[in-house]
Amino acid sequence: MSLLLLGAPVVAAAQAVVTTAAPGAVAVSIYRAPYRGAAQAMDRNFLEGYALVTETRELDLPAGTATVRFEGVAAGMLPESALVTGLPDGVREKNLDADLLSPRSLFARGFGRPVILRRTQPKTGKVTEEPAVIRSGPDGAAIVQTREGFQAVNCSGLKEGLVYQGVPPGLSARPTLSIETQSSAARHVSVRLSYLAWGFDWQANYVATMARDGTHADLTAWVTLASSDSTGFADAETAVVAGKPHRDGNAWDELAGSPAKLKLKCYYRAPPPPPVVAPPPPLESMDIIVTARAVPIAMAVPPPPPPPVMAVREDLGDLKLYRVPVPTTVAANAQKQVALLRKPAVKVQVMAKADLYRWQSYVPVTRVLRTRNRKEDGLGLPLPAGPVLALEEHGGALLPVGEGALPDRAEGEDIDIELGTAPGLTLRNQQQGKSGAQTAFRTTLSNARPMPVRFEGRLVLNQGESVVRSSTPLGRKNGMPLWSVVVPANGTANLSYTVAAAKAKVSDKR
């Protein structure tokens, strides 16, 4: 069904209207979705991050009261967050005209209003028109009332469409912020508009390429920034912000998405299936002779590709901001990537770890890539959260050996990237005898790999419990006993320990 619009609405202007169609300069800072985990990918169908948009616009204000219309703002703008500076006497009122002109909004606002029902004969192209009134909402079939009664549009087999005679009040062709202001005299001003908008997000992705020595890795990272907003920002000063800023309010729960499409249904009988056509007969065999003559061609060596654009890190209070050093377009309903970092020969340690619970007989063992976020280890910079892909060389090709996630890590922190189940390692935990005031356990770790493996096992105890004896000295990590051992190639390691139960509290009743 086609939708046409004739004419324009006649609006009685109560005061002067000043319209600015686009910003002269714009900056977009994108904040990550606050509840998305480090390993969780962006949902490109529903981006839950937000952006701080700052625009600079030039205006010619008349003397007296005027309505200023900022066209082309983000459709997901939070109007209560909008700040406008540079006006002579400030802002008296602001409103977001976000009910956009679309087939669905036209049809929904046209309920009970007169339209023209236009029919086109598919064979002859003859066009007929008759007046009608919309009698249904935008969900389901399009029902109109004509002189002949009620009809469902697009159900007659003809090409049908509705022609509207004007724009219903309250619809705007572009997202627009309207404000009321006043000026004592006519003047040209430069104003700055800043606001928050939802429907944006960004993500860091890391690739760790292991060196042959197993103790170093080349770490690269990319930033993917995405927008689901219907407004694009060309040549914007773009940045992404790492960390979780504190935010009050629940405005995200009240946000409306982009204008929905008009989907009208017509219940009809399905057409019969097409007739079965027999396949063509096979071609007769024939001899084909092709004569080729070698012609030397001078192949020019293409120049190397330009280096990727690298984001530049800046401090933003307790947060970290990564700025794209060149103007870039944050396109509507699109995404793009820029390089975040390149760190060669980062010191790493490939190891295994596990948490030992007494009720587990066979304990899962996790492969871990460990490093320290320090300059002497090849890093020493804030690292935003994101998924990590580990690669190793096998037979001359780089193959993935594990996927994990990196949480937000500040400079100086230790980093453990869990890469899934450790291959070739089996950990068994057995209770020796019955449970009592002191319970004995024996843990055996078997290594089926042709190389030694460093392992850390944390003994998870209940409150008040303690290890009173162990076959090897234990360390501590996060308040729990820690078993550290290097398991030889194709060998085993054993730990025997005894856990003392928590002492019962004695109450003094008098």
Side-chain angles (χ1 to χ4, degrees), residues 82-103:
L83 296 175
V84 183
T85 59
L87 294 171
D89 296 307
V91 178
R92 302 174 59 184
E93 182 181 341
K94 56 186 177 183
N95 300 285
L96 177 63
D97 306 331
D99 199 353
L100 300 181
L101 182 65
S102 67

Side-chain angles (χ1 to χ4, degrees), residues 27-203:
V28 180
S29 298
I30 300 177
Y31 292 76
R32 197 171 52 204
Y35 306 114
R36 181 166 56 83
Q40 185 179 358
M42 291 186 295
D43 183 357
R44 288 169 175 78
N45 296 319
F46 188 67
L47 300 176
E48 298 182 87
Y50 55 99
L52 172 63
V53 182
T54 302
E55 304 177 356
T56 302
R57 304 199 183 208
E58 303 291 326
L59 301 176
D60 289 311
L61 291 179
T65 305
T67 297
V68 180
R69 290 173 52 84
F70 295 88
E71 291 186 347
V73 296
M77 167 194 273
L78 301 177
E80 66 273 20
S81 69
L83 296 175
V84 183
T85 59
L87 294 171
D89 296 307
V91 178
R92 302 174 59 184
E93 182 181 341
K94 56 186 177 183
N95 300 285
L96 177 63
D97 306 331
D99 199 353
L100 300 181
L101 182 65
S102 67
R104 181 180 176 86
S105 62
L106 265 178
F107 191 89
R109 293 293 185 90
F111 180 80
R113 294 174 177 268
V115 293
I116 297 174
L117 177 59
R118 176 178 292 177
R119 293 189 175 97
T120 304
Q121 293 285 347
K123 293 184 178 180
T124 63
K126 182 181 177 181
V127 177
T128 59
E129 295 181 346
E130 64 176 313
V133 177
I134 295 179
R135 295 302 187 188
S136 70
D139 298 314
I143 306 299
V144 296
Q145 183 180 8
T146 65
R147 294 187 182 96
E148 300 178 0
F150 291 90
Q151 303 180 39
V153 181
N154 253 12
C155 293
S156 64
L158 304 178
K159 184 179 180 181
E160 298 178 334
L162 298 179
V163 180
Y164 297 82
Q165 299 180 356
V167 179
L171 293 185
S172 176
R174 303 172 65 197
T176 302
L177 177 69
S178 300
I179 65 171
E180 289 187 9
T181 186
Q182 63 182 18
S183 177
S184 57
R187 66 186 71 185
H188 179 85
V189 296
S190 176
V191 299
R192 184 184 180 95
L193 169 64
S194 299
Y195 58 88
L196 292 175
W198 81 292
F200 297 82
D201 206 349
W202 72 275
Q203 177 175 302

Side-chain angles (χ1 to χ4, degrees), residues 205-501:
N205 286 83
Y206 297 85
V207 177
T209 305
M210 297 297 301
R212 292 184 178 181
D213 60 7
T215 61
H216 293 83
D218 295 337
L219 186 65
T220 60
W222 294 80
V223 167
T224 302
L225 51 93
S227 167
S228 61
D229 200 274
S230 59
T231 300
F233 302 94
D235 297 328
E237 182 182 330
T238 307
V240 297
V241 179
K244 293 182 180 180
H246 177 72
R247 176 175 57 85
D248 290 327
N250 226 359
W252 259 245
D253 298 334
E254 304 172 0
L255 293 171
S258 14
K261 296 181 180 179
L262 181 64
K263 297 181 180 179
L264 299 176
K265 302 175 182 178
C266 179
Y267 299 96
Y268 62 97
R269 181 178 299 174
V276 178
V277 179
L283 296 174
E284 297 181 0
S285 60
M286 62 183 67
D287 294 331
I288 301 177
I289 301 177
V290 180
T291 303
R293 183 167 61 92
V295 179
I297 302 177
M299 298 294 292
V301 178
V309 177
M310 188 78 66
V312 180
R313 178 175 55 88
E314 301 176 11
D315 291 332
L316 183 63
D318 293 335
L319 308 176
K320 299 299 176 183
L321 181 142
Y322 296 86
R323 188 182 305 278
V324 182
V326 297
T328 186
T329 297
V330 181
N333 299 303
Q335 63 183 37
K336 65 170 47 181
Q337 288 184 322
V338 295
L340 177 64
L341 62 87
R342 282 183 174 179
K343 290 292 183 179
V346 177
K347 293 181 182 179
V348 297
Q349 186 180 58
V350 180
M351 56 174 297
K353 71 177 184 180
D355 283 342
L356 282 75
Y357 293 88
R358 63 180 58 194
W359 47 265
Q360 285 182 307
S361 298
Y362 290 93
V363 182
V365 182
T366 302
R367 191 184 191 195
V368 175
L369 186 65
R370 173 172 292 179
T371 186
R372 300 185 306 172
N373 192 8
R374 303 179 185 180
K375 292 182 179 179
E376 55 266 30
D377 292 322
L379 287 174
L381 72 167
L383 297 174
V388 180
L389 173 64
L391 302 176
E392 283 185 0
E393 184 179 349
H394 293 278
L398 286 176
L399 301 178
V401 294
E403 292 184 79
L406 174 70
D408 288 313
R409 282 292 177 259
E411 184 176 352
E413 288 190 291
D414 294 337
I415 298 174
D416 275 4
I417 302 172
E418 298 184 0
L419 300 176
T421 303
L425 295 181
T426 304
L427 182 60
R428 188 174 183 181
N429 191 38
Q430 293 180 303
Q431 180 174 325
Q432 308 294 304
K434 296 182 179 181
S435 300
Q438 293 187 355
T439 307
F441 296 88
R442 180 177 174 83
T443 300
T444 302
L445 178 61
S446 301
N447 178 18
R449 304 192 68 185
M451 59 189 70
V453 175
R454 180 176 295 275
F455 172 80
E456 286 185 357
R458 196 173 62 133
L459 310 183
V460 182
L461 305 178
N462 296 324
Q463 185 175 4
E465 294 180 335
S466 61
V467 175
V468 293
R469 285 185 298 274
S470 63
S471 58
T472 184
L474 301 178
R476 295 195 72 81
K477 188 170 186 178
N478 298 330
M480 295 290 178
L482 184 70
W483 177 34
S484 299
V485 65
V486 176
V487 189
N490 300 308
T492 60
N494 297 288
L495 172 68
S496 297
Y497 61 98
T498 302
V499 176

